[in-house]
């Protein structure tokens, strides 16, 4: 008969972060020593795995790897695993500091790549500097950002403006391919009108500016953005979210998020505008409707790159709205009726 050797474990209580090294030959001895250390009553006490709350029996005990992390439970106590521990930390006034330490502690021993990714993301979000706004407060965030930007909000506003300006450039570039001189001239007039409208709205840079009023921004006042889902979805099924105000890395990653046109810009909106100008002048065009489709939240959705569907959206402009009230839009409507479903 072989003499049973002691197994080394790391034991902790149901509350508190401190762990104790305990060596024992069996569960009975482990509970006895653990209760002495944690000053718990031994009657009804049990031991479970810290990771998932599995109760450690006498039969299970010999299979435990050395230095397994265990939780000592007194009578009536339960343990739901590491997620329960994180949830407990979140519900207390210890806030992020204790949670950061717990995540770091787990990360140091974690072998699962998937869980390492979860914990790393958790740490990144907890250790952000979203509360800092100026360059002086968070120099690292501004690394690579033009010196003229003194605050995060100013840069993020510029970031959004740049995207909208890019859409306007695509509209202007269309003139190069227009053959008929009269249509080209009217299209240029329309483009100039749209530019003036954008200037009046400051290129809708407020969408990314957390200091704007709630009705004018796409983020929370702290700077959190939530993916609005693919063009044909009501919500993001993956619950993507990001705070580019939090860290330099998040700011860079946010550049991969798209302001996606539900009714597509190049495939649908610009061709529809060109079609309307074949037999009408700029004065006949419903510029408000075209502007909404190209540059506003009426047709733009903020989406994570994984939710950005680059295939054909199969959505059409409402041709009855393309021309100002009283103008004949019947021909254009008849030409497109029935081919694709409409959104606006």
């Amino acid at each position: 008969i072989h003499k049973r050797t002691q197994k080394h474990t790391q034991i902790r209580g149901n509350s508190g972060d401190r762990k104790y090294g305990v060596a024992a030959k069996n569960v009975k001895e482990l509970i006895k020593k653990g209760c002495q250390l944690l000053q718990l009553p031994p009657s009804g006490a049990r031991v479970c795995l810290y990771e998932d709350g599995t109760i450690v029996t006498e039969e299970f005990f010999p299979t435990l790897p050395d230095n397994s992390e265990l939780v000592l439970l007194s009578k009536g106590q339960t343990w739901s695993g590491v997620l329960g521990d994180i949830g407990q930390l979140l519900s207390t006034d210890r806030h992020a500091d204790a949670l950061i330490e717990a995540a770091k502690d787990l990360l140091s021993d974690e072998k699962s790549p998937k869980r390492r990714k979860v914990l790393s993301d958790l740490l990144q979000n907890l250790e952000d500097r979203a509360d800092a706004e100026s360059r002086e407060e968070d120099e690292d965030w501004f690394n690579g950002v033009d010196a003229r930007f003194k605050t995060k909000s100013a840069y993020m506003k510029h970031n959004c403006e740049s995207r909208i300006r890019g859409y306007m450039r695509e509209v202007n570039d269309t003139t190069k391919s227009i053959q008929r001189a009269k249509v080209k001239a009217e299209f240029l007039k329309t483009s100039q009108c749209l530019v003036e409208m954008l200037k009046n709205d400051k290129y809708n840079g407020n969408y990314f500016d957390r200091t704007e009023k709630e009705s004018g921004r796409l983020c929370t006042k702290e700077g959190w953005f939530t993916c609005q889902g693919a063009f044909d979805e009501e919500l993001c099924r993956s619950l993507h979210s990001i705070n580019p105000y939090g860290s330099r890395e998040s700011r860079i990653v946010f550049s991969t998020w798209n302001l996606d046109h539900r009714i597509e810009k190049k495939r649908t909106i610009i061709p529809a505008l060109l079609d309307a100008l074949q037999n009408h002048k700029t004065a006949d065009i419903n510029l408000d409707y075209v502007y909404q489709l190209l540059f506003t939240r009426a047709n733009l959705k903020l989406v994570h790159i994984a939710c950005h569907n680059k295939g054909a959206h199969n959505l059409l402009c409402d041709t009855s709205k393309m021309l100002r009230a009283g103008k004949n839009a019947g021909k254009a409507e008849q030409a497109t009726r029935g081919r694709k479903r409409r959104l606006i």
Side-chain angles (χ1 to χ4, degrees), residues 113-146:
K114 184 176 181 179
R115 270 191 286 177
R116 284 188 66 86
K117 176 66 168 63
V118 171
L119 291 167
S120 295
D121 289 348
L122 175 64
L123 283 173
Q124 180 182 328
N125 288 329
L126 288 171
E127 296 182 301
D128 70 9
R129 298 291 309 283
D131 55 327
E133 173 68 9
S134 69
R135 184 179 285 267
E136 290 74 19
E137 291 175 304
D138 192 356
E139 291 183 3
D140 182 66
W141 192 94
F142 288 87
N143 187 9
V145 173
D146 193 287

Side-chain angles (χ1 to χ4, degrees), residues 209-248:
D209 184 355
R210 65 179 178 180
T211 65
E212 289 284 342
K213 293 181 180 179
E214 185 176 358
S215 60
R217 50 179 160 82
L218 287 170
C219 61
T220 67
K221 62 182 180 180
E222 293 80 19
W224 281 98
F225 291 84
T226 300
C227 175
Q228 296 176 315
F231 77 94
D232 55 352
E233 300 281 350
E234 289 294 325
L235 298 169
C236 172
R237 295 183 179 183
S238 300
L239 304 178
H240 295 124
S241 63
I242 190 171
N243 189 342
Y245 287 85
S247 67
R248 177 174 174 269

Side-chain angles (χ1 to χ4, degrees), residues 194 269 273 285-294 322:
L194 292 172
I269 304 171
L273 177 59
I285 301 298
N286 183 354
L287 290 174
D288 287 335
Y289 179 61
V290 176
Y291 178 84
Q292 287 174 8
L293 292 180
L294 287 170
M322 188 60 70

